[in-house]
Amino acid sequence: FNCIVKRKGTNEKANATLYLYKKQNPNDMEEIANSNLPIQIKSNFLNLYYANNSRFYALKTDNSGEFVSFAQVSKHFIQDEGKYKGTISTIEEFNTNKEFIDPELPLLSQITKDAINSEDNFIITSFRTDEAPYFKSASFSKTKYDNWALPEKRYTNLIDRAEKRNQIEYLC
């Protein structure tokens, strides 16, 4: 999709596009290798033997190619974990550019749309709440395991808010 993001301080609008990166694409490998993304995200993407079932999303500005946000997401099936059982999307890594206002929201809306299409019961994070406190403003709740979770019943609310705030326009 295409959307609009705003810079902090100036409220300057920038057009942005969401991309799905593939480890099999040499151009994607080169772009991530030469990016300013955190080393953990680069390592996960560039390691051909790790995270092969993960999806790597990036929201980038159209004019400068800056990363607004980036995520690594995997799917899991949990049989016996209390209320967090069933099919879930797990956000393994998440990075945002602090120069933008709510840079996580458009990307989280796409992860949520994919969770709906996969009939996932929850979206959870594999990282602690203090590593990404802004997830609370995106309707995620803190779990007893000190990570974030978004139940299926809140999916539509997150997507609607992102679509309105960021003027998301789906390409297909």
Side-chain angles (χ1 to χ4, degrees):
F1 64 69
N2 292 325
C3 69
I4 295 175
V5 293
K6 291 182 182 177
R7 292 195 182 274
K8 279 187 182 167
T10 65
N11 272 351
E12 175 189 344
K13 292 181 180 180
N15 292 324
T17 302
L18 180 80
Y19 296 93
L20 182 62
Y21 282 76
K22 301 205 182 277
K23 288 180 147 199
Q24 302 81 6
N25 184 330
N27 293 332
D28 289 354
M29 296 288 277
E30 182 178 348
E31 184 176 340
I32 297 301
N34 296 322
S35 75
N36 62 348
L37 289 168
I39 191 71
Q40 187 62 44
I41 289 174
K42 283 175 149 179
S43 175
N44 292 352
F45 187 79
L46 297 172
N47 185 335
L48 296 176
Y49 302 105
Y50 180 73
N52 288 327
N53 294 323
S54 292
R55 295 174 69 105
F56 294 86
Y57 300 87
L59 183 63
K60 294 174 51 178
T61 59
D62 293 345
N63 57 354
S64 64
E66 287 176 89
F67 285 99
V68 177
S69 53
F70 193 93
Q72 175 188 341
V73 180
S74 60
K75 299 281 185 194
H76 300 277
F77 182 77
I78 299 176
Q79 288 182 321
D80 287 327
E81 196 56 47
K83 72 179 190 177
Y84 301 109
K85 63 182 174 185
T87 306
I88 61 169
S89 287
T90 303
I91 302 173
E92 306 285 350
E93 299 286 342
F94 202 90
N95 182 261
T96 59
N97 186 333
K98 310 283 187 254
E99 294 181 24
F100 293 92
I101 298 170
D102 296 331
E104 71 283 349
L105 195 57
L107 181 50
L108 286 174
S109 76
Q110 183 60 47
I111 293 168
T112 304
K113 281 185 84 70
D114 290 348
I116 288 171
N117 292 337
S118 300
E119 299 180 2
D120 293 353
N121 300 44
F122 284 91
I123 300 171
I124 64 168
T125 63
S126 65
F127 45 84
R128 296 169 37 101
T129 56
D130 60 352
E131 294 178 55
Y134 45 82
F135 270 60
K136 182 174 182 138
S137 66
S139 302
F140 280 74
S141 300
K142 186 176 182 176
T143 72
K144 66 181 181 180
Y145 305 107
D146 197 29
N147 66 329
W148 294 113
L150 181 71
E152 185 177 21
K153 66 183 177 186
R154 289 196 218 136
Y155 288 178
T156 305
N157 181 37
L158 187 151
I159 294 167
D160 289 347
R161 198 161 32 122
E163 287 175 348
K164 288 175 187 157
R165 181 177 287 170
N166 299 98
Q167 300 172 22
I168 294 175
E169 187 179 309
Y170 297 97
L171 302 174
C172 55

